[in-house]
Structures are given as structure tokens and as C-alpha cells.
Amino acid sequence: MFNNTLLLHLPPPIPPSLASCRASRKILSKRMTTAMDPKVGKFESVEGADLNSISKPDGIRFRLVSYNILAQVYVKSSLFPHSPPACLKWKARSHAILSVLKKLQADFFCLQEVDEYDSFYRKNMESLGYSGIYIQRTGQRKRDGCAIFFKPSCAELVTKERIEYNDLLDEQKIETSNEAKGDEKEAKEEHSGKDSRDLNDPQVRLKRDCVGIMAAFRINKPFHHMVIVANTHLYWDPELADVKLAQAKYLLSRLAQFKTLISDEFECTPSLLLAGDFNSIPGDMVYSYLVSGYKKPAETIEEEEVAPIPMCSVYEVTRGEPKFTNCTPGFTNTLDYIFFSPSDFIKPVSILQLPEPESPDVVGFLPNDHHPSDHLPIGAEFEISRE
């Protein structure tokens, strides 16, 4: 029989100490951080004798990956209600992103929506053997930007240039009174909402604060060769397709000028690669313009608007564009590309596999425990033969 009088003489329970509470929180935090299990695809060889014909023991090979890593400033539970809350936390996401980059083992990374560059990515990528260059978006409250990370053991940075699409405007006429927006409103406008300003005003319509960066690298082994790598993130809103097209035209004009500059100064024929989040699906106006110098222009592109340099998509000319690179409940399609200027000296030899729509790691949309961003990384390995 249970003795009730015994309870009267038991000592009161000892409250947990502050130290034990902190220890418990650290254990829980560690569990949340390690709960993510990042998945990456494998690089598969490109089939076809025409693409493998230049494979030589003394050829230059390098791997380039493009990845919109989803800036933490835009990560709101209200914008990603389908995502497990733990995988939206900065500590978990940041470590998962680093894990993905480490597994991909690229020589060049073109990353978009990079925030926390100085406080996190630069030093952590240095520990993995990379150097980096970075451009932050133009607006006063825009915290993210584009970064190119490269292995100094593979390539030497020669020069770089910024691309600011606000240069499309007469800067003296730009009104800056609308700069002071809250982070929550900014995040909604970037990922799901609409701009509340007067879009009929060209000064407002074109001022999207989008940026890009391009750089020339010298590869020294097994022989000297110049490679130009450009990285960009075009504006997102499908209702502002004309703005995205204007940005694409400005991008290629700047890239053509940069290529001429490098060619003249170093008396060489540089290879040219362009990667990024173009916020454009295959076949739309932006995509058609970007490849118009390589393929017959689409009916929507006038002859005088053909791109000044030939560019083709590495996925399109090998296995076709991926079914999607962005995967959310409201939108699932391809937005990310790696373009290269075809020549007799450079060929793709492998591309990064992407999951199928029914793959378990993407079911339920992104981000999730296997993919820390709403975008997937894309990648290709190139080989350059002697001129």
C-alpha cells in the first residue's frame, strides 16, 4: 500500500541550474544543426565523340558551379511555410551550404544571394582553399550580392569589373526616397510580392538594384590560358520582363567590352563563361536573347538585337535544360544557367546531375533537410585544348 505520509518528508525537487539549462539548449541546437543531410548530384560525362574528341592528357580541366544559395535575409517562415522550421535557421543552413560546396569540389563557384560574405563565407571558403571576390546589391538596404570563389591553385585573378544594372539610368534622376524599406517588406517583394511604387516611371521601373561581377583569370598549368568568368542575378518579377531583357542586353554588352579589353591587353583569345540566376525560363525573351548570337534568333528578337557575343547553355547543348532548378509551391522551373562561348578550344566534358521531380529529396519543395536553398546548384566541367 502506498504511504502518503512519506511524501510529506521528501525534499523538494531541485530546480535545474542555469548551466544545465544552457547545456540542454546547446545539445538541442546541435541536434537541430546536424539534422540536415545535404544531397548533391554527381558529375556525369557528356556523351558523344564530338564533345570528347579534344580530351588530351595535357588539356586544362576545371569545374564551375553556379548556385543561388538563398540569402538569409529573405528566409522568413511566412515565405517558406512548407519548409521544416529547423532547416530555415541560419546556423543549420550555413553549415549545410558549406557542406554542399565542399562536396561539389568546384574550381570556380558563382554564388548568388550571398549575404554574410565578410562575417561567414569569405573566411570559411578560405579554410576550404578558395579566394573570393564579391559585389553587394546597390540599394542601401540590400544585404545580398554575387560572389565568385576560385582556387588559387587552379587560377590566378588578373582583373575584375563590377556590373550594376542601375547604370542603365541617368543617376542624377534617380529618386532615393523609397530606399528605407523594412526587411520584411523587402523580402516579400523579392520572393513573392509586388513593388508598390509607380512602375510607369522609367526611373522606378529600371531601378532594381541588381548586380553582377566579371573577372579574368590566368590558368597556368599545364599551359597558360585566360578564362573570363561572369556571375549575375537578374531581376525576378515576370511582369517586368522588359526590365530583365534590358539587364541581359547591358550584361552582354559589358561582357563583350571586357573580352575585347582582355584580348587586346594580353594578346590572347580568352574562354568565356557566364553563370547565374537569370530569373528566366528556357525559351523566354531573356533566354532567347542570350543565345541569339549562337542560334538563329527567335521571332521575338529583332535582327539588330542579336547578342554581341555567341553564348550557348552547357546543359542545353549536352542533355537539355534541367526540368527545374528552383522548386517552391508557387513556382517550379528552370531559372539558373551556365553559358559559355563555343570555340574550337573549349568543350564541356561533364555536367552535374539534378534530381527528378519525383526524387525523394525534393518532394515537398525546397528548402528542406536535403537542400538548404530554394534553388539547386548546377555545374559543368570544361576542358580547354592548346590553341
Side-chain angles (χ1 to χ4, degrees), residues 63-315:
R63 180 178 291 181
L64 183 145
V65 166
S66 181
Y67 190 17
N68 180 329
I69 60 176
L70 179 60
Q72 190 64 24
V73 70
Y74 301 138
V75 177
K76 311 290 181 182
S77 58
S78 59
L79 299 178
F80 299 100
H82 57 278
S83 300
C87 76
L88 297 180
K89 301 294 184 181
W90 165 243
K91 189 172 183 179
R93 287 192 64 245
S94 59
H95 285 84
I97 290 169
L98 280 182
S99 176
V100 170
L101 299 181
K102 187 175 181 179
K103 290 179 180 180
L104 289 170
Q105 298 182 333
D107 300 296
F108 296 94
F109 281 108
C110 293
L111 305 182
Q112 306 86 44
E113 289 200 23
V114 179
D115 56 358
E116 309 295 343
Y117 175 79
D118 289 316
S119 63
F120 182 81
Y121 287 106
R122 182 173 58 83
K123 62 182 180 180
N124 279 285
M125 291 299 284
E126 284 178 357
S127 70
L128 296 178
Y130 293 89
S131 296
I133 54 177
Y134 177 70
I135 178 173
Q136 187 168 325
R137 292 184 65 189
T138 310
Q140 293 178 2
R141 299 186 66 87
K142 301 297 192 299
R143 300 180 182 178
D144 64 300
C146 295
I148 298 176
F149 288 101
F150 62 97
K151 285 185 176 179
S153 59
C154 168
E156 171 192 352
L157 176 63
V158 176
T159 186
K160 62 182 179 180
E161 285 190 11
R162 300 164 59 93
I163 302 171
E164 299 185 47
Y165 297 108
N166 284 358
D167 288 345
L168 290 166
L169 300 170
D170 179 358
E171 294 182 355
Q172 294 181 350
K173 295 181 180 179
I174 296 176
E175 297 182 5
T176 59
S177 60
N178 290 319
E179 289 288 356
K181 296 181 178 180
D183 290 340
E184 181 75 21
K185 183 176 181 181
E186 177 181 317
K188 287 182 179 179
E189 289 187 352
E190 283 295 325
H191 282 264
S192 65
K194 300 296 181 182
D195 195 327
S196 58
R197 297 172 295 173
D198 182 11
L199 296 180
N200 291 321
D201 182 352
Q203 301 297 326
V204 172
R205 191 174 186 86
L206 286 172
K207 188 177 181 298
R208 300 291 105 188
D209 300 327
C210 300
V211 296
I213 189 168
M214 52 189 175
F217 297 91
R218 181 186 289 111
I219 298 179
N220 294 319
K221 296 179 181 180
F223 54 88
H224 295 290
H225 186 78
M226 297 291 289
V227 176
I228 295 173
V229 177
N231 177 26
T232 194
H233 188 184
L234 301 188
Y235 193 59
W236 69 273
D237 194 343
E239 293 186 7
L240 296 181
D242 58 314
V243 174
K244 287 190 279 189
L245 183 58
Q247 291 178 343
K249 291 179 180 179
Y250 181 68
L251 168 64
L252 289 199
S253 69
R254 287 288 306 279
L255 201 51
Q257 294 170 12
F258 190 65
K259 182 181 180 181
T260 299
L261 174 68
I262 299 302
S263 299
D264 294 345
E265 183 171 347
F266 297 95
E267 298 181 347
C268 66
T269 304
S271 297
L272 179 59
L273 298 106
L274 168 63
D277 177 356
F278 294 83
N279 272 312
S280 305
I281 63 175
D284 73 2
M285 287 197 304
V286 170
Y287 183 95
S288 297
Y289 174 76
L290 290 171
V291 300
S292 63
Y294 172 69
K295 301 172 67 175
K296 183 178 179 180
E299 294 181 1
T300 56
I301 303 295
E302 297 180 5
E303 186 174 352
E304 63 268 24
E305 294 181 311
V306 171
I309 46 179
M311 302 293 289
C312 60
S313 165
V314 66
Y315 278 88

